[in-house]
Amino acid sequence: MSAPPRPVSWRRLLGAELRWVLRRPRTWVMVALLGAVPVLMAVGLVLADGPRRGLLSEVVGNGLTLPVAALTLLMALLLPLVVTVAAADAIAGEAQHGTLRGLLLAPVGRLRLVAMKAFGVLVVAAVAVAVVCVVGLVAGWALIGPPAVVGDGGALLTMSGSVLDLTSAAGRIALAALWTLGQLAAVGAVALAVSSFTEHPLVVLSSVLGGIILSGVLGAIPALEPIRPFLLTDSWAAGVDVLRDPLPTAGLVSSTGLAAGWFAAAAVVLVSRMLRRDA
């Protein structure tokens, strides 16, 4: 009697998923488009006059705020779109092309397969956020101007009128990036859960993005105020709080807790579906 096949190691699983995700041309096309947004924002701010700058007026002469402004703007739709596409390809896309069957039959284990796919989606989200931040810093420095030294070495003028030093400013940008990544992880978990129920990536895209748009509409209706605290998108504007001083943590903490709740609920649905899915 032959011995059962040995399970594939975590290193091989995650390495294979990482190579598969990063070799897809559409991943880098979407990331490149995201990277173009901070550049276009910087160019627009340089060319626009005062009255037309609107909410982005805080960035004028204060280039270090550009990454946070770009993340806040992109969080409305484009960053969730990139993560949703990755999640749709991860399960529904492979089911459509017939490759998911091989993974389900392989000595991998359903839970390990779920973790592998979640890892790939999280990598895409992390790359997208990192590109926006790095390009935003470079564009803000080059087009809007380097951080002006104010007072005792201050480099970032906050929305509250106080000045932060360069180290504190970098910490605020990193905090905004980590907060955004947490919100995108929740979106990715929901998209993976939807993806596990279909073989058509477009169904995942339309469902998740439609849900995001619907959530925004529901949050704008006064009569539905009681459900607003449970809408994932309702707290997506909290990221801009990192530009205030002292740092208000209530919005960041509550939005992170809400994202964790959505992530956990979606993870339960995803795991339950994948454990029962026929090969």
Side-chain angles (χ1 to χ4, degrees), residues 30-43:
M30 293 187 298
V31 169
L33 291 175
L34 288 176
V37 172
V39 177
L40 294 175
M41 290 174 63
V43 171

Side-chain angles (χ1 to χ4, degrees), residues 120-121 183 198:
V121 174
Q183 302 299 311
T198 180

Side-chain angles (χ1 to χ4, degrees), residues 5 8 13 90-91 93-110 113 116-117 199 274 277-279:
V8 182
L13 280 176
I91 298 179
E94 291 218 30
Q96 186 180 55
H97 292 95
T99 54
L100 184 64
R101 176 180 175 83
L103 291 174
L104 292 174
L105 294 174
V108 174
R110 300 295 178 93
L113 176 61
M116 179 179 71
K117 293 302 181 182
E199 297 181 357
M274 292 302 292
R277 183 161 185 161
D278 295 331

